[in-house]
PDB file of all heavy atoms in Angstrom:
ATOM      1  N   ALA B 251     236.469 162.240  37.943  1.00 97.00           N
ATOM      2  CA  ALA B 251     237.274 163.233  37.237  1.00 97.00           C
ATOM      3  C   ALA B 251     238.036 162.605  36.089  1.00 97.00           C
ATOM      4  O   ALA B 251     238.176 161.382  35.995  1.00 97.00           O
ATOM      5  CB  ALA B 251     238.262 163.871  38.214  1.00 97.00           C
ATOM      6  N   PHE B 252     238.478 163.457  35.190  1.00 96.00           N
ATOM      7  CA  PHE B 252     239.522 163.083  34.249  1.00 96.00           C
ATOM      8  C   PHE B 252     240.805 163.779  34.672  1.00 96.00           C
ATOM      9  O   PHE B 252     240.764 164.850  35.292  1.00 96.00           O
ATOM     10  CB  PHE B 252     239.181 163.564  32.818  1.00 96.00           C
ATOM     11  CG  PHE B 252     238.230 162.686  32.087  1.00 96.00           C
ATOM     12  CD1 PHE B 252     237.005 163.184  31.658  1.00 96.00           C
ATOM     13  CD2 PHE B 252     238.566 161.374  31.781  1.00 96.00           C
ATOM     14  CE1 PHE B 252     236.121 162.386  30.963  1.00 96.00           C
ATOM     15  CE2 PHE B 252     237.680 160.572  31.074  1.00 96.00           C
ATOM     16  CZ  PHE B 252     236.455 161.070  30.664  1.00 96.00           C
ATOM     17  N   ASN B 253     241.934 163.201  34.308  1.00 95.00           N
ATOM     18  CA  ASN B 253     243.208 163.869  34.474  1.00 95.00           C
ATOM     19  C   ASN B 253     243.309 164.953  33.399  1.00 95.00           C
ATOM     20  O   ASN B 253     243.329 164.647  32.214  1.00 95.00           O
ATOM     21  CB  ASN B 253     244.346 162.848  34.340  1.00 95.00           C
ATOM     22  CG  ASN B 253     245.717 163.476  34.487  1.00 95.00           C
ATOM     23  OD1 ASN B 253     245.846 164.619  34.934  1.00 95.00           O
ATOM     24  ND2 ASN B 253     246.740 162.722  34.107  1.00 95.00           N
ATOM     25  N   ARG B 254     243.316 166.205  33.802  1.00 95.00           N
ATOM     26  CA  ARG B 254     243.511 167.350  32.907  1.00 95.00           C
ATOM     27  C   ARG B 254     242.417 167.559  31.871  1.00 95.00           C
ATOM     28  O   ARG B 254     242.665 168.140  30.825  1.00 95.00           O
ATOM     29  CB  ARG B 254     244.852 167.275  32.177  1.00 95.00           C
ATOM     30  CG  ARG B 254     246.014 167.170  33.121  1.00 95.00           C
ATOM     31  CD  ARG B 254     247.272 167.642  32.469  1.00 95.00           C
ATOM     32  NE  ARG B 254     248.411 167.268  33.304  1.00 95.00           N
ATOM     33  CZ  ARG B 254     249.601 167.850  33.269  1.00 95.00           C
ATOM     34  NH1 ARG B 254     249.808 168.817  32.406  1.00 95.00           N
ATOM     35  NH2 ARG B 254     250.572 167.470  34.066  1.00 95.00           N
ATOM     36  N   SER B 255     241.213 167.059  32.111  1.00 95.00           N
ATOM     37  CA  SER B 255     240.109 167.581  31.300  1.00 95.00           C
ATOM     38  C   SER B 255     238.816 167.522  32.100  1.00 95.00           C
ATOM     39  O   SER B 255     238.792 166.994  33.215  1.00 95.00           O
ATOM     40  CB  SER B 255     240.008 166.900  29.937  1.00 95.00           C
ATOM     41  OG  SER B 255     239.687 165.559  30.099  1.00 95.00           O
ATOM     42  N   SER B 256     237.773 168.077  31.533  1.00 96.00           N
ATOM     43  CA  SER B 256     236.532 168.278  32.257  1.00 96.00           C
ATOM     44  C   SER B 256     235.595 167.088  32.110  1.00 96.00           C
ATOM     45  O   SER B 256     235.046 166.845  31.034  1.00 96.00           O
ATOM     46  CB  SER B 256     235.837 169.541  31.736  1.00 96.00           C
ATOM     47  OG  SER B 256     234.498 169.575  32.169  1.00 96.00           O
ATOM     48  N   ALA B 257     235.400 166.342  33.186  1.00 97.00           N
ATOM     49  CA  ALA B 257     234.467 165.213  33.151  1.00 97.00           C
ATOM     50  C   ALA B 257     233.053 165.703  32.830  1.00 97.00           C
ATOM     51  O   ALA B 257     232.316 165.061  32.079  1.00 97.00           O
ATOM     52  CB  ALA B 257     234.485 164.465  34.482  1.00 97.00           C
ATOM     53  N   ALA B 258     232.685 166.832  33.383  1.00 97.00           N
ATOM     54  CA  ALA B 258     231.342 167.369  33.130  1.00 97.00           C
ATOM     55  C   ALA B 258     231.118 167.590  31.645  1.00 97.00           C
ATOM     56  O   ALA B 258     230.086 167.214  31.085  1.00 97.00           O
ATOM     57  CB  ALA B 258     231.148 168.677  33.895  1.00 97.00           C
ATOM     58  N   GLN B 259     232.107 168.182  30.998  1.00 97.00           N
ATOM     59  CA  GLN B 259     231.965 168.525  29.585  1.00 97.00           C
ATOM     60  C   GLN B 259     232.061 167.278  28.701  1.00 97.00           C
ATOM     61  O   GLN B 259     231.221 167.067  27.838  1.00 97.00           O
ATOM     62  CB  GLN B 259     233.082 169.499  29.218  1.00 97.00           C
ATOM     63  CG  GLN B 259     232.701 170.466  28.132  1.00 97.00           C
ATOM     64  CD  GLN B 259     233.642 171.655  28.149  1.00 97.00           C
ATOM     65  OE1 GLN B 259     234.866 171.509  28.207  1.00 97.00           O
ATOM     66  NE2 GLN B 259     233.085 172.842  28.107  1.00 97.00           N
ATOM     67  N   VAL B 260     233.075 166.460  28.955  1.00 96.00           N
ATOM     68  CA  VAL B 260     233.273 165.294  28.095  1.00 96.00           C
ATOM     69  C   VAL B 260     232.090 164.336  28.208  1.00 96.00           C
ATOM     70  O   VAL B 260     231.610 163.797  27.213  1.00 96.00           O
ATOM     71  CB  VAL B 260     234.597 164.581  28.466  1.00 96.00           C
ATOM     72  CG1 VAL B 260     234.739 163.268  27.707  1.00 96.00           C
ATOM     73  CG2 VAL B 260     235.784 165.493  28.197  1.00 96.00           C
ATOM     74  N   LEU B 261     231.589 164.121  29.417  1.00 95.00           N
ATOM     75  CA  LEU B 261     230.501 163.150  29.609  1.00 95.00           C
ATOM     76  C   LEU B 261     229.120 163.778  29.495  1.00 95.00           C
ATOM     77  O   LEU B 261     228.121 163.056  29.478  1.00 95.00           O
ATOM     78  CB  LEU B 261     230.628 162.481  30.989  1.00 95.00           C
ATOM     79  CG  LEU B 261     231.964 161.846  31.350  1.00 95.00           C
ATOM     80  CD1 LEU B 261     231.848 161.109  32.678  1.00 95.00           C
ATOM     81  CD2 LEU B 261     232.444 160.889  30.261  1.00 95.00           C
ATOM     82  N   GLY B 262     229.064 165.092  29.446  1.00 97.00           N
ATOM     83  CA  GLY B 262     227.753 165.736  29.416  1.00 97.00           C
ATOM     84  C   GLY B 262     226.966 165.497  30.702  1.00 97.00           C
ATOM     85  O   GLY B 262     225.770 165.203  30.678  1.00 97.00           O
TER      86      GLY B 262
END
Side-chain angles (χ1 to χ4, degrees):
Chain B
F252 279 119
N253 179 14
R254 304 203 192 202
S255 65
S256 165
Q259 211 161 48
V260 173
L261 307 186

